[in-house]
Structure formats: C-alpha cells, structure tokens
C-alpha cells in the first residue's frame, strides 16, 4: 500500500481554534460527527483504499470530521510565500484547494512553494492532498512571468481559426503548470463575446461566433486532458454580453432564454460533452433563469440548469467571492453558504485573511445549525475527492524543481507560441502602405499608449535605421489616454520621422485622447500604420487610417498582462511576414467575422 494513503495518527489531538489571529476563532464542533475517529491506522486506511474511485471517495468522506469536510469546500488564497497562515489553513483548517494568484519569478521558486503547501497537506490528520490552481488563460506565465512561456490571448487564438493552435496552447500551459505543481487551470474562457463593449471579457474570449468558441474551448479541454491537468470553463452561464465588470459591480443580462440557449450555453454544453472536470460560475444575474440572484448564488442556475438540464457531473467552483458583485451585496460567509446551497462544490475564498476565516467559520456553523444539509456537503466532498484520486494526487504530491526549470519556458514552447501569434495578426486595412521594407534606413517613430519601449525594441530587431519610441500615456494606470501635451510631443517627433507606427489600446470604446493622437499623426501626411493592442474595434474610431492591424494582445488589466509575442508578430507582419488572421468578431458591416486582408 502506498505510504501517502496510510493515515498516521499517533494520538488524537484536539485542535485549538485561534492560530495566527487570536481574535478569529474557527468555531468548534457541535456534533458527534467531529468526535475523534478510531486510532487504528491500518483499519482506517483499509476502510477507504479499496473498490472503485467513487467507492474510495465515499469511504474516505465517511472518515472525515465536519471541519475536514468544510475545508474541502474552500479554496483559500495564500497571503505570502510559505507563510504561517498557509500552514494553519492547510494543517489545522483542512482547506482542500489553493488559489495561487501572485507572481513568482522562477519555475524553481514556484515548484518549491507548491511542494511546501503539499507537504503541509500531507501532515494534516488524513493527509488529503491539495488542488493547486490558478488563472492560466495565457499560459503559466500568468503566474511565473519571468520564465514561463507567454501565449497569445484567446481572441488571438480565435483569430487563427485553427483548433490545433488552441489545443497546442493548452498543452503548453498544462505541461509547464504541472511541472511547477499546479493541477488545475481556470481556462478556457468559454464566454461568447457578443458585446464588443464588454469591459471584462474582451480579448479573453475566443470570439463572437458560438461555434468558433465551442470548437476552440473543446480543443483546449482536450489539450489539458492529454497532459493530465484539470481545466475549468468560465464564466457560466456566459459573461460575454455584460456591460459592467463584476469585479466592481453586480451585472444583469436581460436577453431572453432563447438567446441564452442558442448563443451562450452551447460552448459550455460542448465542453461538458467532452468531459470537462470543472466549471466556474459567474457573478451575473441571468434574468431569463433567475431574475433575483447572480448565477453563483442561484440554485436555479447551478442545480437546475447546469446539473439537471445540461448534465454536468464535475466540480462547480465559484468565481472569486471577493469581487464586489458578491462582497458588496452579501458578506463572504453568507455568500459562501448561499453558493453551497445553490449547488457549488468549492467556494473561492480569495479575500482578506479575515474574509477567508469568515468563509470557513460561517460554512461550518451553517452545517451545525442545519442551514446546509449534510448530504449536500457530503456530495461535494465525494466529488472533490474522486478527482483527487483520479489524478493520483495521493501518490505524487510533490514535483521536481530541477525538472520544472528545464520544462518551463522551453525553446520549443516559445517557438510554438510565436507561430500561433503570427497566424493571429489580422490585416484590417491597407491602402498601399504595407508591408514596409525591413531593409530601409528610414527613421521610424513608434508611438504607443502601452509598452512603447518594448514594441520599439521589436522594431529595432527588424530594421537597421533609427527607431524612436514615445510613450503617449502613463506607463501604468487606470486611464489609458493621451493628454494634449503628449499628443503635441508625438506630433513634433513625427515631423522628424519618415514613418510612424502608432499602437492604440482599449477594452471597449477608445478614449478621445487616443483618437486625437491618431488623427493628428495622420494629419502630418507621413505614412502611418495603426495597430490595435486590445479591442479590434479601435479602427472604427479612426476610420481615415490607411493601414491597420489587430493583435488582440491586451485586456483592461494591461499593465499586468503584457503579451509581447503578439506585438512582436504584428511588427513582423508590418515588415513583410504574411498576415493570416481573420476577425473572430463583427466590427461593422464592412469588417465582419472572418474578414482579413492578405498581401499580394
């Protein structure tokens, strides 16, 4: 029998509640279910280490105390690397999952961190391993930007119209994430971006066409499954037609049920049919199903629609409960109880330390008081343990830091990422300006509202002439716009240059300052190439541009999510590489889905 499955209990320990913050006490047990289990280790191990995985999960659940069960329902967020808070949450409060939302610079550091978390899990009473998860929409680089391979955003992959690229991106992500100790990626984004002014999805979506999104999402699930990593389709039942960001407000969608079922649900049904292991909920009110509660808290949505009608049998995990759509309307604890009662299996408790303790305390108290049915809890715990057993986490909890360093950010992965990016660049407009001659000695001015120096360096790799960079907006900030003095400076520099490359970025409507910047550069009558870094609809704000490319590189958290492979690819197309991308969204009657020019 494997050592990891033998339960070592030398004596029964009654765990005191206050650990780090004495004022925050984990509520003690009120039921006989928390009485100490038998001390015969062999009997306990034999009791659950036989039969099918479902039977093993059920038998192990029967050995668990209420505290241990509640812990499995909570995904906590470490506040620091290998800190005392993590140790107590894992070893004493029995949390079953960890969300890693911070950046570490090296693969070896991340592997050491996840190994420490799993070691603590192994030292808990039953030694149940953790699920270690993260948002990995554009690769493991979302967590380890210093070394991991950066992949194009999902709308860029959608612009390739190549499902093999989607699967390959997922495989790269899974290989690198798994090497560092992750077992769970919160991807693919399966939202159909039917509202071009959606402030939170945008280039995170594969596109506007339901079939395209479905095909791409299924391909990514296949890639994750092939490499043994859980994937999670989000944000159920579809976040693509909202006009508000649920990080800051509670949003509603008012389309009818027919639109919901024809446009937004098919990608989720497609990945369910593919056997996806988890689905993440959205904090939006779908009026056609439940006009009162957001999906995360709605039994009509999670149990009635997702479980009963769509047949999903995997793990339902909530989106971050700290988002103001939830936290501003319900407290962390109350919302957690509502989510579990609605049908969620795991609550993502990524708020403050106090919020995370409140989540655990309130769930535990609700179970003792009968506000959550015991069968509801057991059902979720059994499901979670089933997937931990299926992934062999009890057998192999740690990873090799040296192997992680060798696999993460490999040359092969970077080459594949660069190819996907090159195939995504979409030529929207070209009135005799492109391609530019890379052999020219012309003075080229690069004007951008984001990452001007980085982009200019990409241009320098292509040409021998002088390249000047000008950042026309703050390097980091909420408002991506160009002030009048910045526009004047850009125009002055343009008059000294031979050719101008100007990069704009929006998550929905382009700010007026950026529009003025482009138009005044066009007025110099120098050859100008415009490039959208984010929303491909930027071209609609400066229709007089004569040459325009879309990269789909940046979302509204642009300073956190640089995707240099995409703007590098755009620069390559500007200087002669073949543009292959096609719009995955509709911009207007001229620029429809599938539109994309080619060089002669």
């Amino acid at each position: 029998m494997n050592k990891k499955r033998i339960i070592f209990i030398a004596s029964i320990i009654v765990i005191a509640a206050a650990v780090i913050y004495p004022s925050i006490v984990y509520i003690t047990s009120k039921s006989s279910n928390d009485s100490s289990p038998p001390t015969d280790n062999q009997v306990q191990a034999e009791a659950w280490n036989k039969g099918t995985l479902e039977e093993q999960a059920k038998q192990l659940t029967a050995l668990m105390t209420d505290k241990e069960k509640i812990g499995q329902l909570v995904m906590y967020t470490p506040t620091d690397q290998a800190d005392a808070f993590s140790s107590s949450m894992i070893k004493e409060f029995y949390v079953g999952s960890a969300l890693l939302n911070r950046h570490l610079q090296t693969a070896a550091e991340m592997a050491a961190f996840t190994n420490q978390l799993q070691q603590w899990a192994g030292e808990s009473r039953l030694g149940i391993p953790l699920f270690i998860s993260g948002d990995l929409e554009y690769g493991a680089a979302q967590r380890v930007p210093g070394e991991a391979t950066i992949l194009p955003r999902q709308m860029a992959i959608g612009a390739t119209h190549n499902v093999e690229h989607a699967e390959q991106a997922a495989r790269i992500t899974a290989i690198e994430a798994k090497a560092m100790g992750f077992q769970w990626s919160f991807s693919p984004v399966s939202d159909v971006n039917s509202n071009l002014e959606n402030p939170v999805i945008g280039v995170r979506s594969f596109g506007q066409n339901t079939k395209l999104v479905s095909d791409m999402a299924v391909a990514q699930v296949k890639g994750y499954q092939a490499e043994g990593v859980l994937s999670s389709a989000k944000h159920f039942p579809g976040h693509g037609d909202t006009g508000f960001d649920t990080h800051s407000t509670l949003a509603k969608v008012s389309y009818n049920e027919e639109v919901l079922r024809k446009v937004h649900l098919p990608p989720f049904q497609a990945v369910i049919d593919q056997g996806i292991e988890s689905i993440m909920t959205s904090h939006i009110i779908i009026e056609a199903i439940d006009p009162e509660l957001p999906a995360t808290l709605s039994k009509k949505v999670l149990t009635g629609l997702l479980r009963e009608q769509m047949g999903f049998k995997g793990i339902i995990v909530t989106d971050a409960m700290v988002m103001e759509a939830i936290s501003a309307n319900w407290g962390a604890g109350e919302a957690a109880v509502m989510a579990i009662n609605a049908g969620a299996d795991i609550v993502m408790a990524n708020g403050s330390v106090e919020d995370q303790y409140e989540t655990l305390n309130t769930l535990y108290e609700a179970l003792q008081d009968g506000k959550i049915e015991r069968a509801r809890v057991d059902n979720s715990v059994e499901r979670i343990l089933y997937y931990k057993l299926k992934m062999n986490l009890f057998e192999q909890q740690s990873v090799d830091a040296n192997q992680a360093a060798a696999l993460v950010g490999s040359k092969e992965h970077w080459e594949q990422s660069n190819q996907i990016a090159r195939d995504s660049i979409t030529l929207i407009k070209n009135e005799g300006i492109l391609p530019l001659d890379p052999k020219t000695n012309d003075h080229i001015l690069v004007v951008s509202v984001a990452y001007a120096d980085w982009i200019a360096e990409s241009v320098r790799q292509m040409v021998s002439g002088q390249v000047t960079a000008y950042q026309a907006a703050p390097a980091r900030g909420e408002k991506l716009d160009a002030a009048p003095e910045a526009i004047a400076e850009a125009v002055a520099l343009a008059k000294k240059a031979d050719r101008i490359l100007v990069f704009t970025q929006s998550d929905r409507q382009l700010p007026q300052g950026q529009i003025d910047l482009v138009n005044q550069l066009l007025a110099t009558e120098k050859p100008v190439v415009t490039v959208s870094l984010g929303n491909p609809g930027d071209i609609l704000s400066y229709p007089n541009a004569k040459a325009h490319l879309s990269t789909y590189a940046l979302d509204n958290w642009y300073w956190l999510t640089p995707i240099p492979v995409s703007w590098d690819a755009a620069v390559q197309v500007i200087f002669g590489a073949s543009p292959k991308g096609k719009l995955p969204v509709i911009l207007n009657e001229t620029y429809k889905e599938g539109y994309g020019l080619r060089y002669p």
Side-chain angles (χ1 to χ4, degrees):
M1 183 179 300
N2 191 286
K3 293 181 180 179
K4 295 292 184 181
R5 291 199 178 182
I6 299 177
I7 305 170
F8 293 97
I9 304 177
S11 63
I12 302 302
I13 302 174
V14 178
I15 301 174
V19 180
I20 305 173
Y21 298 86
S23 62
I24 304 172
V25 179
Y26 198 121
I27 296 175
T28 56
S29 173
K30 297 181 183 179
S31 77
S32 60
N33 190 61
D34 265 347
S35 62
S36 300
T39 58
D40 187 336
N41 304 334
Q42 187 66 29
V43 169
Q44 288 190 32
E46 292 290 344
W48 70 270
N49 197 20
K50 292 181 179 179
T52 66
L53 296 183
E54 291 87 350
E55 290 169 341
Q56 291 181 47
K58 185 179 291 290
Q59 292 156 8
L60 180 54
T61 299
L63 293 174
M64 297 172 70
T65 66
D66 283 355
K67 290 181 185 179
E68 289 165 335
K69 291 177 182 179
I70 291 300
Q72 289 298 309
L73 306 186
V74 175
M75 178 176 288
Y76 96 108
T77 305
T79 57
D80 200 356
Q81 185 171 352
D83 61 356
F85 171 63
S86 289
S87 176
S88 79
M89 288 292 273
I90 296 169
K91 295 171 66 175
E92 299 174 59
F93 300 153
Y94 315 114
V95 290
S97 308
L99 171 70
L100 305 191
N101 62 3
R102 296 175 299 108
H103 289 162
L104 294 180
Q105 288 305 305
T106 70
E109 284 180 321
M110 184 60 80
F113 182 31
T114 60
N115 281 345
Q116 177 64 80
L117 298 183
Q118 293 290 18
Q119 179 183 331
W120 284 331
E123 293 169 357
S124 65
R125 189 182 73 87
L126 294 177
I128 299 173
L130 290 170
F131 273 140
I132 296 180
S133 67
D135 284 310
L136 305 175
E137 294 173 19
Y138 53 91
Q142 200 162 348
R143 304 277 65 90
V144 186
E147 286 189 354
T149 306
I150 300 172
L151 292 155
R153 299 309 299 252
Q154 288 193 182
M155 190 171 284
I157 298 174
T160 71
H161 288 73
N162 186 337
V163 293
E164 292 182 2
H165 281 335
E167 182 172 350
Q168 189 61 53
R171 280 179 173 267
I172 292 170
T173 301
I175 290 169
E176 296 191 1
K178 188 176 181 180
M180 294 186 289
F182 290 84
Q183 303 92 25
W184 194 350
S185 172
F186 295 131
S187 182
V189 176
S190 300
D191 303 308
V192 177
N193 197 55
S194 57
N195 181 356
L196 201 61
E197 294 189 13
N198 187 318
V200 65
I201 302 302
V203 297
R204 300 169 67 198
S205 166
F206 289 113
Q208 188 171 354
N209 181 288
T210 298
K211 186 177 187 307
L212 174 68
V213 174
S214 299
D215 292 346
M216 291 286 178
V218 167
Q220 291 226 306
V221 173
K222 289 180 179 178
Y224 280 114
Q225 289 175 334
E227 301 300 337
V229 170
L230 299 181
S231 58
S232 189
K234 61 186 184 185
H235 308 79
F236 184 84
H239 210 320
D241 194 26
T242 52
F244 299 94
D245 185 345
T246 46
H247 290 84
S248 57
T249 189
L250 182 61
K252 293 183 179 181
V253 290
S254 57
Y255 48 68
N256 60 37
E257 188 170 346
E258 182 181 8
V259 171
L260 173 67
R261 295 187 181 278
K262 287 187 176 180
V263 176
H264 299 283
L265 292 184
F268 293 98
Q269 188 65 66
V271 295
I272 289 171
D273 294 343
Q274 177 56 36
I276 194 169
E277 299 85 358
S278 73
I279 287 178
M280 180 185 287
T281 68
S282 65
H283 300 331
I284 59 177
I285 294 175
I286 308 294
E287 291 186 333
I289 303 298
D290 188 337
E292 297 180 356
L293 292 173
T296 296
L297 309 181
S298 172
K299 188 171 184 177
K300 293 178 181 177
V301 174
L302 301 190
T303 299
L305 178 60
L306 182 55
R307 289 280 189 220
E308 295 173 357
Q309 295 182 35
M310 299 179 70
F312 179 59
K313 301 185 183 303
I315 296 171
I316 299 176
V317 58
T318 74
D319 203 345
M321 299 297 271
V322 73
M323 291 163 64
E324 289 189 26
I326 298 297
S327 62
N329 294 281
W330 299 271
E334 179 187 356
V337 173
M338 293 173 70
I340 296 299
N341 278 330
D345 299 302
I346 295 178
V347 173
M348 187 183 289
N350 67 333
S352 66
V353 168
E354 290 79 7
D355 286 339
Q356 296 188 52
Y357 277 109
E358 181 185 347
T359 298
L360 286 160
N361 288 340
T362 308
L363 283 171
Y364 180 83
E365 188 173 31
L367 179 59
Q368 305 313 303
D369 293 343
K371 294 179 181 178
I372 303 176
E373 292 182 3
R374 193 166 297 280
R376 170 79 277 280
V377 171
D378 287 354
N379 181 266
S380 287
V381 173
E382 289 170 14
R383 183 177 290 111
I384 294 163
L385 294 178
Y386 165 80
Y387 281 104
K388 290 184 177 183
L389 290 162
K390 185 176 181 180
M391 296 183 70
N392 295 317
L393 296 190
F394 287 85
E395 280 73 27
Q396 185 174 0
Q397 296 183 24
S398 63
V399 293
D400 186 329
N402 291 327
Q403 185 181 37
L407 283 174
V408 173
S410 70
K411 180 180 178 181
E412 178 185 4
H413 288 173
W414 276 107
E415 288 174 348
Q416 291 167 338
S417 177
N418 288 329
Q419 184 62 58
I420 296 169
R422 282 193 296 271
D423 288 352
S424 75
I425 302 302
T426 309
L427 180 60
I428 303 297
K429 198 171 183 180
N430 186 23
E431 296 181 3
I433 291 180
L434 294 173
L436 301 185
D437 184 357
K439 297 180 181 178
T440 182
N441 288 319
D442 287 348
H443 177 192
I444 297 173
L445 172 65
V446 175
V447 179
S448 182
V449 293
Y451 303 110
D453 289 333
W454 285 26
I455 297 169
E457 187 57 36
S458 296
V459 176
R460 292 188 185 100
Q461 301 302 313
M462 299 295 299
V463 301
S464 56
Q466 181 182 352
V467 178
T468 300
Y470 181 68
Q471 181 86 21
R476 172 174 174 160
E478 290 295 332
K479 190 175 182 181
L480 267 175
D481 208 0
E485 56 270 23
I487 296 172
E489 179 66 19
V491 169
L493 291 170
K495 291 177 179 178
K496 301 175 184 178
D498 298 304
R499 300 182 185 275
I500 302 160
L501 311 180
V502 56
F503 293 75
T504 59
Q505 200 270 318
S506 70
D507 57 5
R508 36 187 162 174
Q509 292 183 348
L510 194 66
Q512 187 60 47
Q514 290 194 51
I515 298 172
D516 294 342
L517 171 67
V518 174
N519 286 333
Q520 291 193 39
L521 290 173
L522 290 171
T524 65
E525 298 187 353
K526 299 289 182 74
V528 176
V529 178
T530 60
V531 183
S532 64
L533 288 172
N535 187 337
D538 285 3
I539 180 63
L540 303 181
S541 297
Y542 40 79
N544 293 328
K546 297 183 182 299
H548 181 78
L549 298 167
S550 288
T551 68
Y552 321 98
L554 301 178
D555 61 17
N556 59 345
W557 299 290
Y558 73 97
W559 61 87
L560 294 175
T561 57
I563 309 292
V565 290
S566 289
W567 63 64
D568 287 349
V571 169
Q572 292 169 30
V573 170
I574 288 171
F575 289 98
S578 176
K580 296 181 179 179
K582 294 181 288 185
L583 281 173
V585 294
I586 300 171
L587 303 185
N588 62 14
E589 286 300 313
T590 300
Y591 307 128
K592 297 182 179 181
E593 185 205 351
Y595 182 92
L597 301 176
R598 301 290 181 262
Y599 290 150

